[in-house]
Amino acid sequence: MNREAMGLIVKRDDGSEIVNYDNPAFPSYIYDGWGKPRVTWEKVPHFHEDIELITVKEGSMAYSVNGREIQLGEGDTIMVNSNQIHFSIYPQDVRYVICVIHPSVLMSSVAVEMQFVRPIIENAELPYLRFRGLNEYARDVYRLMTGMPDIRHDAFRITMHFFQLWEYIRKQASHYLPEQEEYASDPRMQLFKSMMAFISSSYTGNITLAEIAASANISKSLCNSLFHQYVGESPISYLCHLRCRKVAEYLRSSSKSLTEIASLVGFNGVSYMSETFRKFFDCSPREYRKQWAVPVPDPVQYVLNQN
């Protein structure tokens, strides 16, 4: 794993995540991690081809998947399917295990791929599955997930565990009857992904709502509607949030002045940057830099880029 990238968020030009795999030769990221309100990896919308699984060990949290917020308590697990827009939400301190694994790990043959993997990862009406409470598979899924950090550098054992997890995912998917309203696929998702990618590549400049909408060839009103649907905030608020996360990354990883940072991330002046930063992180940039000058546990979130 690239330790220098821990806690940052790295994306491709199309807005999809570049997962910071533990081993470049094997596509998995596994971490026994933590989260708390207002950390930089909270509420960062992203998507990727990989399957993402989160199991809550202590506390509670939520996951937003395609604009739907799913609550998770201790012992709960969520599987986020391939290429879904999602992000974590921390109303309180939480400890969890996260596993991000590319489905190619399961594709041992064409028959397995076509019969048992693609029918799930290509199912537009199955953005996520949740295992919780009295669900018959929840306890076994929890056991497998909490054992993953111990084998995170053993590709063979990870593969075996992932096949076992996939069997529970297949069983859950086969008899789960989703409400049409909950899982209806939205053909407008690609429009939102296009706008998210445009903002990620252009946030350092003085971009406008009209330009964001134009990047997907839609009206400003539809642009606003899609952002509220998928991330619960306006396009301009999303842009400011992104810039503030970039400010936080510079504060944690460099000695650049506030003036330099404001210029690098697209803010017109330190005063406006500081005012906006406080809205998202509940402290000033200087206070934030002092907090992160003290050693803390490694950030849990797998790496995405937000460029």
Side-chain angles (χ1 to χ4, degrees):
M1 175 189 296
N2 180 3
R3 299 289 297 176
E4 293 180 358
M6 289 290 290
L8 303 181
I9 306 215
V10 195
K11 292 184 179 180
R12 299 180 178 87
D13 291 341
D14 67 356
S16 63
E17 168 201 355
I18 301 174
V19 178
N20 189 34
Y21 295 131
D22 296 316
N23 181 346
F26 186 78
S28 72
Y29 174 90
I30 300 169
Y31 202 81
D32 188 347
W34 59 274
K36 64 170 74 174
R38 298 179 184 274
V39 290
T40 52
W41 57 90
E42 181 190 24
K43 298 180 181 179
V44 183
H46 60 280
F47 63 96
H48 43 65
E49 292 183 346
D50 306 74
I51 302 299
E52 181 164 326
L53 296 114
I54 288 274
T55 292
V56 178
K57 295 170 60 180
E58 300 175 15
S60 64
M61 61 182 291
Y63 244 53
S64 174
V65 183
N66 296 345
R68 180 178 178 84
E69 188 172 307
I70 302 101
Q71 300 299 319
L72 301 171
E74 291 185 18
D76 294 348
T77 298
I78 187 171
M79 183 281 287
V80 180
N81 211 346
S82 180
N83 285 314
Q84 308 304 307
I85 298 169
H86 59 283
F87 55 88
S88 56
I89 304 168
Y90 307 124
Q92 60 177 259
D93 291 2
V94 62
R95 290 204 63 91
Y96 56 82
V97 173
I98 180 170
C99 297
V100 185
I101 306 179
H102 198 276
S104 61
V105 171
L106 300 167
M107 298 174 184
S108 56
S109 68
V110 173
V112 170
E113 176 182 350
M114 300 308 294
Q115 295 179 46
F116 305 108
V117 181
R118 291 205 175 275
I120 292 178
I121 66 174
E122 295 178 355
N123 186 348
E125 296 188 356
L126 194 67
Y128 70 88
L129 286 172
R130 178 170 51 181
F131 300 86
R132 63 172 180 173
L134 298 177
N135 181 285
E136 59 185 313
Y137 311 124
R139 184 173 297 180
D140 290 324
V141 169
Y142 180 88
R143 172 181 54 82
L144 287 166
M145 283 291 293
T146 53
M148 283 293 228
D150 294 333
I151 60 171
R152 63 192 294 253
H153 296 297
D154 188 329
F156 182 72
R157 295 180 67 191
I158 292 171
T159 301
M160 290 195 301
H161 272 56
F162 193 25
F163 266 103
Q164 293 177 67
L165 285 165
W166 197 252
E167 178 64 5
Y168 292 120
I169 289 169
R170 286 184 59 245
K171 288 179 178 178
Q172 178 83 336
S174 68
H175 66 70
Y176 189 68
L177 301 176
E179 297 177 7
Q180 188 64 27
E181 180 181 356
E182 177 176 345
Y183 281 129
S185 59
D186 188 348
R188 303 183 302 175
M189 185 189 298
Q190 191 55 48
L191 297 176
F192 174 75
K193 287 180 177 179
S194 297
M195 293 186 289
M196 188 167 62
F198 171 74
I199 292 175
S200 294
S201 63
S202 309
Y203 70 90
T204 59
N206 186 26
I207 60 177
T208 65
L209 173 60
E211 290 172 323
I212 296 171
S215 69
N217 295 314
I218 60 175
S219 67
K220 291 188 287 186
S221 61
L222 179 55
C223 171
N224 265 308
S225 176
L226 291 179
F227 270 85
H228 281 287
Q229 175 183 344
Y230 285 109
V231 296
E233 60 183 340
S234 71
I236 299 304
S237 176
Y238 176 89
L239 170 62
C240 290
H241 196 177
L242 169 59
R243 285 172 172 164
C244 286
R245 289 198 301 271
K246 288 299 181 182
V247 171
E249 290 167 11
Y250 278 118
L251 292 171
R252 289 166 53 187
S253 62
S254 77
S255 58
K256 295 182 184 298
S257 70
L258 296 187
T259 301
E260 290 176 304
I261 293 174
S263 177
L264 286 169
V265 303
F267 278 114
N268 294 322
V270 172
S271 177
Y272 178 53
M273 179 185 74
S274 298
E275 178 185 349
T276 306
F277 188 90
R278 184 179 290 276
K279 290 180 182 178
F280 290 107
F281 290 95
D282 202 30
C283 64
S284 70
R286 286 189 174 86
E287 291 168 340
Y288 185 89
R289 174 169 268 169
K290 289 179 181 179
Q291 291 173 11
W292 283 91
V294 180
V296 296
D298 284 336
V300 299
Q301 201 52 316
Y302 51 87
V303 174
L304 319 165
N305 183 335
Q306 199 74 11
N307 292 316

